[in-house]
Amino acid sequence: MRKPFRTLFLFLTLALTCAVLTGCGSGSSNGEVNVANWGDYIDEDTIDAFEEETGIKVNYSTYSDNESLYSTLKNGSTDYDVIVPSDYMIARLIEEDMLEEIDFDNVPNAANLDGEFLSGLDYDPEGTYSVPYLWGVVGLIYNTTMLDYTPTSWDVLWDESLSGQILMFDNSRDAIGIALKLLGYSYNTTSEDEITQAVDKLIEQKPLVQAYVMDQIFDKMEAGEAAVAPYYAGDAVVMMRENPDLACIYPEEGSNYYIDAWCIPKGAANKENAEIFINYMCQTEVMAANATYCTYAPPSSAARELLGDDLADNELVYAPNEVRELCEIYTNLPQTVLDLYDQQWIRLKAA
Amino acid sequence: MKKKYLAIPYVVWMAIFVIVPLCLVVGYSLVNPEGQLTLENFKALTQYWTVFATSFRLAIIATAVCLLIGYPIAYWISREGPGVKRIAMIAMMLPMWMNFLLRTYAWMSLLENTGIINTLLANLGVFKLINAVFGTELTYFPMINTPGAVVLGMVYNYLPFMILPIYTVIDKIDTRVIEAAEDLGANGVQVFRKIIFPLSLPGVLSGITMVFIPSVSTFAISKLLGGGMTLLLGDLIEMQFYGNAYNPYLGSAISLVMMVIVLICMAVMNHFGEGEEGAVYF
């Protein structure tokens, strides 16, 4: 008598739990858009203004890097409608058929962008999957009081007199990329030999490195805890506001030029709202507001004119053309090379 | 019989949140990205043995330090009156109300070269004194971004997990047992060695388990306090999910092997513990 009841009870509890769990996750509705962006990478006033103007509710969440975004998309554990991956990740997502084509009829404001950002970009040649949000270049940030010369090259990161004062990217692509550049190779090399050489170079550098960090570069450079660090030049503007002793240069070997762009993941539940959102974000004033907040460059000359002089004429925000010519955009690397990157990165970390 | 029904939600909970994820981990570790059964993941694992070694070494050191600090504290608290006990408990629990990451961030600003401790020491003239005596040119003690800082982070974060179980066990020891030992002529050291310490071993064992397991799998501490210079198992596993290659299969294999090693460690320890307990009773 009791046993069937127990089974039933167990079943009911299970069913209830499942219902509760799925209830939280999905729930298709109109008037919503789920946006995922990098942390601290938007002027949140623009989101409020968008909600007010369109009546569409924005569920905003953040991620810390392209790879974690990829991982969440791959797991299918989220239902994002708008994401902001970088160039190489866009290429990877397109290749793996994980993005929706954007209906540009719903994004007329894309016309506010400069032509060079609308098509002909290697990661999305037709410009059908992405609408650029902000761009920038990786620079070399240094503390003028701790360095007795003006650096011109990535090799300052290997300067033994700065032992213990050097910060390095805690991200294999960026860190190995710098070593590749210094050795005269391409950021996008697929040669195992060149990548191995680059990691040898990083192992040589390791005793001099104070720490491998990402966002903590802000704190450490502002506090004068370290003398040199590679980071996004736009962020150097923010750091220099806090600590006027800091300066930033573009190394002569060339650097990484990156574009972060709005995309819509495959199967987005609110694709139309996503397009309305992207369209809103392409308004000249909104682009200018976000660029001012993030201190990165908007892909629009019209928006540039709305920026304050401290940004519009700032070479750290707008890398000069001769710098950009030396730079490379990351391309998506084949899986075997990505595996190699991880293996080599562990070799460095375990060294 | 009736009481058993109360356990059903728990059983369901465990099934969904423990058994299913565990099965997923096992499943993932046994297939390749194409979904075929393979042992490749475990073979690929062997190249990372140094990471295993570093992780276990640091976790063992952290656990040992926790035990060395935690046991005397637990012993001391258990001997004090109720007022002191309450204050000591609050002092221990209070930091734990704060998020673990925040506390670790706090240690960062304490330990940095231009951080609070070094600034304080500089202002007190400690470095000047040392430099004058030893002829060195010290301006700060390098503390952050070292394996030592990682161990410190582990000890700081997990020490309460060592103190609490030991304290609970010592506190519960029947005072009459101790009195009996004293009546029979045992001195303080003998009482501790022959009565209190053996009786507190179950607490020590759970303390060791509760400190060792999170220590061996931690990843944020090595990043924040270790400056990313020491790669631990937690970092390695995280990398398989959030790194370039996105290899949850290898990540699962690493997790599984780690779990098995921890399980073996625990089994060995418990066996050893039972032996000790037995010694007390006979």
Side-chain angles (χ1 to χ4, degrees), chain B residues 14-37:
Chain B
M14 291 287 278
I16 297 178
F17 293 106
V18 177
I19 311 285
V20 172
L22 211 60
C23 292
L24 278 177
V25 169
V26 175
Y28 263 97
S29 67
L30 289 172
V31 297
N32 62 14
E34 283 76 45
Q36 296 146 329
L37 271 181

Side-chain angles (χ1 to χ4, degrees), chain A residues 31-44 46-48 50-51 54 56-64 69 72-73 78-85 131 133 261-265 268-281 286 290:
Chain A
E32 267 192 346
V33 61
N34 302 312
V35 180
N37 191 357
W38 299 70
D40 203 25
Y41 202 40
I42 197 165
D43 180 349
E44 302 218 358
T46 62
I47 300 177
D48 296 340
F50 169 79
E51 286 184 323
T54 60
I56 296 171
K57 187 177 180 315
V58 177
N59 301 316
Y60 191 77
S61 50
T62 61
Y63 52 88
S64 60
L69 170 69
T72 32
L73 289 176
T78 47
D79 46 4
Y80 297 146
D81 300 312
V82 179
I83 52 174
V84 194
V131 183
Y133 173 46
W262 303 109
C263 295
I264 302 177
N270 308 297
K271 181 163 186 280
E272 253 175 57
N273 286 347
E275 281 157 354
I276 297 172
F277 182 84
I278 295 172
N279 188 47
Y280 183 86
M281 287 297 152
V286 176
N290 283 328

Side-chain angles (χ1 to χ4, degrees), chain B residues 22-233:
Chain B
L22 211 60
C23 292
L24 278 177
V25 169
V26 175
Y28 263 97
S29 67
L30 289 172
V31 297
N32 62 14
E34 283 76 45
Q36 296 146 329
L37 271 181
T38 174
L39 286 174
E40 278 302 308
N41 297 322
F42 292 96
K43 229 158 89 193
L45 232 155
T46 49
Q47 56 184 318
Y48 300 132
W49 74 270
T50 47
V51 183
F52 275 86
T54 322
S55 283
F56 277 87
R57 196 174 39 124
L58 291 187
I60 288 169
I61 295 174
T63 312
V65 174
C66 275
L67 185 61
L68 286 176
I69 302 174
Y71 197 97
I73 295 179
Y75 183 68
W76 167 73
I77 298 176
S78 68
R79 306 246 103 182
E80 290 296 326
V84 176
K85 274 183 188 166
R86 204 171 306 129
I87 292 171
M89 280 296 135
I90 291 176
M92 206 159 48
M93 301 305 290
L94 206 63
M96 293 179 74
W97 295 355
M98 234 190 309
N99 180 283
F100 145 86
L101 278 177
L102 266 165
R103 282 180 281 145
T104 309
Y105 266 106
W107 271 106
M108 269 174 75
S109 39
L110 278 171
L111 295 180
E112 277 180 340
N113 298 343
T114 55
I116 295 168
I117 294 177
N118 273 321
T119 315
L120 195 72
L121 290 178
N123 289 341
L124 289 174
V126 173
F127 296 120
K128 270 193 201 129
L129 186 74
I130 294 174
N131 291 341
V133 175
F134 298 101
T136 48
E137 278 181 39
L138 221 58
T139 50
Y140 59 84
F141 286 127
M143 292 181 286
I144 200 159
N145 306 328
T146 58
V150 178
V151 170
L152 177 78
M154 292 178 183
V155 169
Y156 169 73
N157 278 303
Y158 305 132
L159 187 58
F161 298 117
M162 182 64 87
I163 298 177
L164 287 175
I166 298 178
Y167 161 73
T168 315
V169 171
I170 297 183
D171 200 41
K172 293 253 165 66
I173 295 177
D174 195 335
T175 46
R176 285 173 301 181
V177 178
I178 298 168
E179 279 162 19
E182 278 165 354
D183 286 350
L184 292 169
N187 62 26
V189 178
Q190 279 171 325
V191 168
F192 179 77
R193 252 185 50 211
K194 300 241 159 143
I195 309 290
I196 299 176
F197 184 68
L199 284 178
S200 68
L201 268 181
V204 172
L205 286 182
S206 38
I208 290 178
T209 314
M210 285 168 73
V211 172
F212 182 72
I213 293 177
S215 296
V216 83
S217 58
T218 182
F219 67 94
I221 295 175
S222 57
K223 241 178 210 170
L224 295 176
L225 296 179
M229 309 289 262
T230 28
L231 190 75
L232 299 186
L233 275 176

Side-chain angles (χ1 to χ4, degrees), chain A residues 215-237:
Chain A
D215 284 349
Q216 298 156 32
I217 286 176
F218 281 93
D219 287 340
K220 291 189 190 275
M221 290 307 287
E222 285 166 11
E225 181 79 11
V228 279
Y231 214 57
Y232 311 106
D235 290 324
V237 177

